[in-house]
Amino acid sequence: QVQLLQSGGGSVQAGGGLRLSCVVSSNFARNTCMAWFRKASGKERVYVATLNTNDAATRYEDSVKGRFTISQDRAKNTLYLQMNDLQPEDTAVYYCATMGYRAYGGLCPSNAYTYWGRGTQVTVSS
């Protein structure tokens, strides 16, 4: 059974930072693509960042470039999202996801993710 266990959300003032973590069942955290998505109230879920666990290639949605960093700890099967300079428009439920099947190196897609975490709320006040 695939498990993606998220932690690290919370409330912060604008300009602050948070780090999200996602521990993934070992078989589904290797040789694949992983990603963070977010869903703001009343809006669709959108991708925030992707990471290829083969070569650590990353891509970011334009609004978070330079502020967010996606990374992995392969030994711990853990995906991270470091979020700095948070703004009220970053308020959303954040989800981690894994494709769950083998991918090769290079940039990962912003869709085609099979397994999802339950989400963690991030609230940024002005």
Side-chain angles (χ1 to χ4, degrees):
Q1 183 178 358
V2 181
Q3 290 188 327
L4 290 82
L5 300 178
Q6 296 185 223
S7 61
S11 297
V12 65
Q13 290 191 327
L18 288 171
R19 188 176 80 160
L20 306 183
S21 299
C22 177
V23 180
V24 186
S25 303
S26 60
N27 290 342
F28 297 90
R30 299 172 181 170
N31 306 119
T32 190
C33 286
M34 298 190 68
W36 288 97
F37 287 73
R38 66 185 179 186
K39 185 182 185 305
S41 181
K43 296 185 178 181
E44 295 186 349
R45 185 166 60 188
V46 296
Y47 105 97
V48 173
T50 68
L51 180 142
N52 191 313
T53 65
N54 293 291
D55 58 10
T58 59
R59 63 185 292 190
Y60 295 91
E61 192 273 328
D62 285 346
S63 69
V64 307
K65 286 180 181 177
R67 300 188 299 123
F68 290 12
T69 302
I70 187 172
S71 63
Q72 63 174 330
D73 184 329
R74 300 178 77 172
K76 296 181 179 180
N77 294 322
T78 301
L79 183 73
Y80 300 103
L81 185 68
Q82 177 66 45
M83 304 182 292
N84 297 329
D85 190 24
L86 283 161
Q87 300 300 317
E89 53 267 33
D90 296 315
T91 295
V93 177
Y94 284 72
Y95 300 86
C96 63
T98 177
M99 290 177 70
Y101 54 88
R102 184 176 180 84
Y104 296 95
L107 296 180
C108 291
S110 60
N111 53 18
Y113 293 86
T114 306
Y115 302 103
W116 297 82
R118 293 189 174 185
T120 186
Q121 178 70 45
V122 171
T123 302
V124 185
S125 58
S126 57

